[in-house]
């Protein structure tokens, strides 16, 4: 796949429509800088936008990917596949965003509890609050450790590689990841306490 060729083709298509990068970007709900990067070949459109771009320019997705016109008619089957791929990518992105949002909320609540108990000194007077203070501190570390597991897709890859009768369900895998994150957080805390003693 030649990104420069694709970029030149996208620029040619836009010019045929007689619109500026800004006007095209506005129609897609993106920045003009993004369009510029596509047209210079330094970046590629997201898979979810390919069918929208193809519809707008009235070309086929294979033509965009090839960076040249192939035929006058758009292959409907290819368009359906691209739309299905786009829907799949959107669903995966939505799942990731939901997981990160939930993790962020947990981390924020833990941070607030930790700061309130720490600043007021309430954890020193009550055993339950002392446990809540320690747990929230550990949960802050866990949140930081869990972010890379979600954003890099490591949890998904572990689940995919875990095949056969030992296949672990997603909820159980998340619990295992949280336990591992707690262990890593405890290790980080021990190392930091030794360094800054």
């Amino acid at each position: 796949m030649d990104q420069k060729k694709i970029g030149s083709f996208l620029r040619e298509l836009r010019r045929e429509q007689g619109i500026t990068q800004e006007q095209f970007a506005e129609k897609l709900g993106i920045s003009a800088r993004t369009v510029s990067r596509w047209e210079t070949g330094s970046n590629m459109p997201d898979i979810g936008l390919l069918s929208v771009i193809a519809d707008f320019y009235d070309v086929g997705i294979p033509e965009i990917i090839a960076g040249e016109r192939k035929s006058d008619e758009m292959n409907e089957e290819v368009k359906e596949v691209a739309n299905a791929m786009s829907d799949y990518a959107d669903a995966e992105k939505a799942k990731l965003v939901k997981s990160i949002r939930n993790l962020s909320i947990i981390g924020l609540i833990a941070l607030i509890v930790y700061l309130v108990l720490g600043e007021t000194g309430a954890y020193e007077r009550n055993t339950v609050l002392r446990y809540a203070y320690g747990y929230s501190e550990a949960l802050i570390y866990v949140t930081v450790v869990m972010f890379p597991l979600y954003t890099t897709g490591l949890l998904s890859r572990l689940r995919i590689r875990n095949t056969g009768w030992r296949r672990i369900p997603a909820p159980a895998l998340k619990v295992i990841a949280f336990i591992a994150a707690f262990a890593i957080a405890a290790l980080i805390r021990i190392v930091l306490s030794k360094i800054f003693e």
Side-chain angles (χ1 to χ4, degrees):
M1 183 165 49
D2 186 345
Q3 284 189 209
K4 297 284 185 195
K5 187 176 179 183
I6 293 169
S8 297
F9 184 57
L10 290 173
R11 182 173 44 251
E12 175 189 324
L13 291 171
R14 179 182 52 79
R15 288 179 177 164
E16 285 175 7
Q17 294 287 323
I19 58 173
T20 65
Q21 288 179 345
E22 290 79 12
Q23 290 168 326
F24 182 56
E26 188 176 318
K27 289 184 185 301
L28 294 181
I30 58 174
S31 71
R33 185 175 179 168
T34 300
V35 174
S36 175
R37 287 180 177 164
W38 294 347
E39 292 184 359
T40 59
S42 61
N43 224 340
M44 293 290 294
D46 288 340
I47 193 167
L49 288 175
L50 281 179
S51 63
V52 176
I53 294 168
D55 280 345
F56 182 82
Y57 288 137
D58 195 28
V59 295
I61 292 171
E63 292 174 295
I64 292 174
I65 293 171
E68 62 187 10
R69 291 189 190 274
K70 296 281 185 190
S71 67
D72 291 337
E73 295 180 15
M74 181 170 182
N75 184 339
E76 284 300 316
E77 189 174 315
V78 172
K79 182 179 175 184
E80 287 175 20
V81 168
N83 284 332
M85 288 172 52
S86 172
D87 292 343
Y88 180 80
D90 289 345
E92 287 297 308
K93 194 184 304 182
K95 280 175 36 182
L96 178 63
V97 168
K98 181 181 177 186
S99 296
I100 290 173
R101 182 186 65 232
N102 292 342
L103 192 59
S104 298
I105 290 169
I106 291 168
L108 182 61
I109 290 169
L111 181 61
I112 291 169
V113 168
Y114 177 76
L115 290 175
V116 168
L117 294 177
E119 291 298 317
T120 62
Y123 72 95
E124 296 171 351
R125 297 184 294 273
N126 184 307
T127 305
V128 173
L129 293 179
R130 188 174 314 119
Y131 285 122
Y133 180 75
Y135 181 75
S136 61
E137 181 183 18
L139 203 51
I140 293 167
Y141 286 107
V142 168
T143 304
V144 171
V145 171
M146 289 296 288
F147 265 105
L149 293 177
Y150 278 107
T151 56
T152 61
L154 185 59
L155 281 178
S156 298
R157 279 187 242 134
L158 286 174
R159 189 161 194 274
I160 290 167
R161 289 188 183 144
N162 181 24
T163 57
W165 63 272
R166 292 183 171 174
R167 186 176 179 104
I168 301 171
L173 191 59
K174 287 179 183 177
V175 169
I176 292 168
F178 266 103
I179 292 169
F182 265 109
I184 293 168
L187 182 63
I188 291 170
R189 187 170 182 215
I190 291 168
V191 169
L192 289 177
S193 68
K194 294 292 183 193
I195 292 172
F196 295 109
E197 275 187 341

